[in-house]
Amino acid sequence: MKKLFLFLIIAQFFACSITKEVKKPEKLIISDGTTFTKKSFYPDFSWQVTPLYLMFADGQRVLNDSEVKRIAKLGDFICIEKNHAKAVLGYAELGAKHEVAAFKAIEPSIKVLYYFNTSYAWPFTSYNKNFTPAKINNYPELKKFLIVNKKSGKLENRRNIFFFDVLNPDFREWWVETVAKGVNDSNADGVFIDQMHGFVWLRPDKREEVKKAMEKMMKNLKTKLGPTKIVLGNNAERTVDVFPHVDATMFEHYNSTKLTKENLLEEWDDMLRIAKSGKMSVFRIGVEAEEETEKEIKGMPWPKRSKILEKKSKERAEYFLAAYLIGAQPYSYFQYGWGWRLDTGPMVDYPDLLKPLGAPKAPYARTSADKWEFTREFEHAKVWIDTDKKIAKITWLK
């Protein structure tokens, strides 16, 4: 009996010791002082280093083991882009399925998104394979889903990629079913939805109808996928009809107007609003969008262009990381590079992204109302940026 009692005492001691050593979830404070409450199906989030979102594709192959391990170490929130591994597996949803399994095998908690577009009929999946000039006339039921030029009577297209017609209710039903099937077939944790504009500029007289149609479609998608799947909408932060039906939104800085000092200031406020809504955001920067860089690489062949952009991405990393950090909130992620392919950033070393960061100590501060200088302090870093001169300095404290 004495031995049993002694055993219980020792067991209780070790149990208490283990309990004390268990790391509690990081408390996530929004810059207005309120607490961000994580939804159960969100990825884990930490300020330990810069929180990264990665999105990529290689249309010719699947990832090798070292690439899977490297990407998984960088972040646990990723998306497999639209044409991944199509050349070797036949269809993009199979490429997504392959990578979902590969990432989950080494990190079960990682969240992997599938990709689909609301506007462009990319023919990369088995579901979209007949939306091509060679095949579409054989499928009149699918052809009805596409926008027709009123003057020519021909299908609207960009480089032979057709345009979906969100105003067609039959298309919207097909689209919701198709996206949900892609997510389920690939075993993904959700979906990245691209290009939610509905080609409104082709029919400006139906602007409100397009908005409402897109709202219905996204609402139905979220309902179809269920409460535990992530819906990330590209550029949905100010789309008031769509925003309630997404769990996350991406700031895609796709041209120089998105990188102006005025727009960055608005986006920092958007990041706060998004966090207060309990949603996630992705601050995606591509250095190819800077005005000076756009001019430099115009008309340049890809291999040379890519080398220049990789060099630019390293040179500009401090500035764009600072631009993200000034407005970053809990569940705000940073994506960096110069495109959407595997060879446009995800495999490049950016040392600052791996340095200890720590939680922000306070909201950003503007040095004066008539200047475009902003500062913010984190546990292990001090950030200064001038968005007028487009320069920044991050002082790492650890």
Side-chain angles (χ1 to χ4, degrees):
M1 183 64 71
K2 288 182 178 179
K3 288 183 178 180
L4 176 61
F5 180 74
L6 181 61
F7 171 79
L8 291 173
I9 293 293
I10 294 172
Q12 185 177 12
F13 171 79
F14 279 109
C16 291
S17 299
I18 292 170
T19 303
K20 288 179 182 178
E21 290 176 4
V22 171
K23 188 178 179 181
K24 293 182 179 180
E26 191 173 339
K27 191 173 183 181
L28 301 173
I29 305 300
I30 301 172
S31 63
D32 68 350
T34 59
T35 301
F36 188 102
T37 303
K38 173 192 173 183
K39 294 179 182 176
S40 61
F41 57 96
Y42 283 6
D44 293 330
F45 181 91
S46 174
W47 291 114
Q48 184 177 358
V49 297
T50 299
L52 296 180
Y53 169 90
L54 297 106
M55 185 167 171
F56 51 84
D58 188 321
Q60 302 303 309
R61 64 180 180 88
V62 297
L63 301 179
N64 60 45
D65 290 345
S66 64
E67 290 166 339
V68 171
K69 291 176 182 177
R70 173 187 167 81
I71 291 170
K73 284 183 179 180
L74 290 174
D76 57 4
F77 192 21
I78 66 176
C79 177
I80 311 302
E81 232 261 353
K82 56 181 169 286
N83 69 334
H84 186 67
K86 183 181 182 299
V88 291
L89 298 180
Y91 299 115
E93 73 269 22
L94 298 180
K97 182 177 182 177
H98 182 278
E99 305 307 357
V100 169
F103 281 110
K104 297 284 188 180
I106 63 171
E107 185 52 70
S109 66
I110 199 167
K111 300 297 181 179
V112 187
L113 303 184
Y114 174 70
Y115 171 101
F116 215 81
N117 201 298
T118 72
S119 301
Y120 288 95
W122 295 108
F124 301 135
T125 65
S126 63
Y127 329 119
N128 280 16
K129 64 182 180 181
N130 296 317
F131 288 103
T132 67
K135 296 178 181 179
I136 193 62
N137 288 327
N138 297 325
Y139 298 89
E141 72 281 8
L142 297 180
K143 193 173 181 179
K144 291 178 182 178
F145 295 163
L146 304 174
I147 299 176
V148 178
N149 184 288
K150 290 182 179 180
K151 291 183 178 180
S152 68
K154 295 180 179 180
L155 294 175
E156 293 279 8
N157 72 91
R158 181 188 179 195
R159 298 174 184 173
N160 289 324
I161 303 300
F162 298 129
F163 299 171
F164 285 138
D165 184 5
V166 72
L167 292 179
N168 184 330
D170 292 333
F171 161 71
R172 295 197 299 268
E173 183 178 352
W174 172 89
W175 185 89
V176 169
E177 294 293 329
T178 299
V179 176
K181 182 171 175 55
V183 171
N184 293 327
D185 287 351
S186 63
N187 297 319
D189 297 291
V191 62
F192 175 93
I193 299 298
D194 207 0
Q195 308 253 351
M196 292 178 292
H197 47 68
F199 291 106
V200 68
W201 60 86
L202 294 177
R203 42 212 179 165
D205 58 319
K206 296 183 178 180
R207 181 174 297 275
E208 290 305 313
E209 294 172 71
V210 170
K211 285 182 180 180
K212 292 302 178 185
M214 192 63 70
E215 177 188 15
K216 288 179 183 177
M217 194 164 79
M218 292 301 295
K219 181 179 180 180
N220 290 341
L221 175 64
K222 181 61 182 173
T223 301
K224 180 71 177 179
L225 289 176
T228 61
K229 295 291 188 181
I230 298 168
V231 176
L232 196 169
N234 195 10
N235 294 314
E237 68 279 356
R238 299 175 201 167
T239 309
V240 295
D241 300 298
V242 168
F243 185 76
H245 311 299
V246 300
D247 305 293
T249 182
M250 173 180 282
F251 299 92
E252 184 192 356
H253 300 89
Y254 52 82
N255 61 33
S256 57
T257 63
K258 289 286 186 176
L259 296 175
T260 64
K261 57 183 185 289
E262 294 85 2
N263 191 63
L264 289 174
L265 181 59
E266 286 185 30
E267 288 179 343
W268 295 335
D269 291 339
D270 286 336
M271 291 164 86
L272 171 59
R273 174 175 54 83
I274 292 165
K276 286 178 66 63
S277 299
K279 299 178 187 286
M280 301 180 282
S281 63
V282 176
F283 195 83
R284 185 266 168 180
I285 290 289
V287 294
E288 76 280 5
E290 283 201 280
E291 189 173 7
E292 299 80 1
T293 304
E294 281 183 317
K295 293 177 182 177
E296 184 178 348
I297 64 174
K298 188 176 182 180
M300 191 177 289
W302 176 250
K304 184 177 180 181
R305 183 174 182 242
S306 187
K307 287 182 180 180
I308 289 175
L309 288 173
E310 179 174 347
K311 182 173 180 289
K312 290 279 186 184
S313 74
K314 292 177 179 178
E315 293 171 350
R316 300 295 286 153
E318 185 173 40
Y319 175 75
F320 284 122
L321 177 56
Y324 156 78
L325 289 174
I326 289 292
Q329 302 290 342
Y331 277 92
S332 296
Y333 291 86
F334 186 54
Q335 181 189 351
Y336 191 60
W338 65 95
W340 301 101
R341 292 175 9 183
L342 184 64
D343 61 357
T344 60
M347 306 309 294
V348 175
D349 289 323
Y350 300 107
D352 282 1
L353 301 185
L354 302 179
K355 290 181 179 178
L357 177 65
K361 291 186 174 182
Y364 73 80
R366 192 170 187 171
T367 58
S368 65
D370 61 340
K371 292 184 178 181
W372 291 88
E373 294 181 39
F374 303 86
T375 61
R376 196 176 188 192
E377 189 170 349
F378 291 75
E379 186 180 356
H380 305 305
K382 292 182 178 181
V383 183
W384 171 89
I385 191 169
D386 185 327
T387 53
D388 184 39
K389 296 178 181 178
K390 298 180 181 180
I391 55 176
K393 176 64 179 176
I394 303 175
T395 303
W396 299 98
L397 305 177
K398 186 175 178 180

